[in-house]
Amino acid sequence: MRKEMLKESFKTALPIMAGYVVLGIPCGILCATAGMDVWMVVLMCALFYSGAGQYMIPNMYLAGNPLGAIIASVSLVNTRQMLYGASLSQFCGTCRKRLAFFFGATVTDESFGVNLARFINGQWSVASALAVNLFSQSAWLLSNVAGALVGSAVSLPTALASFAMTALFICLLCMQKITSANVVAAVSAALGVIVCKLVGLSGPAILVGALIGVGAALAFSLKRGESQDSDIRMGA
């Protein structure tokens, strides 16, 4: 029974693992370019499992950002994990707390979507979902290590390595649903970063831009909600 469960989890995780090979190798190269040893990359993948966050750390370091700005920016980006955990907690009511803890600690964007769909369709356990997470994390870790080994052997231009995170976030932006609020967030964040750069605030530019984007989208959504409520009352 356990063997069948692992086999099904592996089949479920296989598309995620394939994608992580493509993303993990450049991330490992970027980490090596930033001066990280292979053992550091292994620890980061094992203890700090966040694709976007792991791209941000070496990229912001190469760009000369202060430590405080790096920590704050990565923390802000990873707040989405709390939403993932809250959404999946409804399926963890009967499992052991330790199992639920490790399941929540190993959730990523991709495994969240896959596991949520399997939970909704039924016949899916937290143990199976955790196995999907661990298979995915293993592929990410091994790909990062391979990239770090390549990066330590081959000299990569810093400018090219630094663009890896920019390309990743452009990809993530293109995957978002086109809504008015998302457009406001993207444009406001970009303008915020540009203004920070122009006035010499290169260090916190990403963090400030992200906060401006979130704030602008929130204000826009609240304003539009009030307008819609007003229209409904007038129509009534």
Side-chain angles (χ1 to χ4, degrees):
M1 182 67 179
R2 189 175 185 83
K3 184 177 179 181
E4 289 298 320
M5 183 270 287
L6 290 174
K7 184 177 179 180
E8 184 65 22
S9 295
F10 181 79
K11 288 171 56 180
T12 303
L14 198 55
I16 303 175
M17 296 167 67
Y20 281 179
V21 172
V22 177
L23 291 173
I25 292 177
C27 185
I29 294 174
L30 181 60
C31 290
T33 304
M36 296 179 65
D37 294 328
V38 174
W39 67 268
M40 296 178 181
V41 175
V42 172
L43 280 180
M44 185 168 66
C45 293
L47 303 177
F48 180 71
Y49 179 35
S50 168
Q54 287 180 228
Y55 264 99
M56 290 178 69
I57 292 172
N59 187 86
M60 295 183 70
Y61 174 78
L62 288 171
N65 288 273
L67 180 61
I70 295 175
I71 293 174
S73 299
V74 173
S75 299
L76 178 65
V77 168
N78 285 336
T79 53
R80 70 191 189 282
Q81 302 293 341
M82 294 187 294
L83 300 178
Y84 295 158
S87 179
L88 293 171
S89 62
Q90 59 182 307
F91 306 106
C92 302
T94 58
C95 73
R96 300 190 307 274
K97 290 184 178 181
R98 183 178 298 179
L99 180 61
F101 170 81
F102 283 111
F103 171 52
T106 53
V107 170
T108 59
D109 303 73
E110 295 77 17
S111 64
F112 166 77
V114 168
N115 281 323
L116 181 62
R118 294 298 298 264
F119 276 126
I120 293 175
N121 291 335
Q123 303 299 318
W124 197 240
S125 66
V126 176
S128 298
L130 175 59
V132 170
N133 292 354
L134 294 179
F135 281 130
S136 302
Q137 185 174 8
S138 298
W140 175 257
L141 188 152
L142 292 174
S143 300
N144 270 262
V145 169
L149 291 173
V150 171
S152 61
V154 179
S155 179
L156 188 69
T158 302
L160 179 61
S162 298
F163 185 72
M165 189 185 76
T166 304
L168 174 65
F169 278 95
I170 290 174
C171 178
L172 292 174
L173 179 62
C174 292
M175 292 169 60
Q176 299 301 309
K177 184 178 180 180
I178 300 178
T179 64
S180 300
N182 284 345
V183 171
V184 169
V187 173
S188 300
L191 290 176
V193 173
I194 291 172
V195 171
C196 286
K197 295 284 187 179
L198 290 176
V199 300
L201 296 175
S202 298
I206 295 177
L207 175 61
V208 173
L211 292 174
I212 291 174
V214 171
L218 180 60
F220 174 81
S221 298
L222 292 175
K223 185 67 176 177
R224 188 172 63 172
E226 291 176 358
S227 300
Q228 291 175 347
D229 289 342
S230 178
D231 291 343
I232 292 174
R233 287 195 296 268
M234 291 178 64

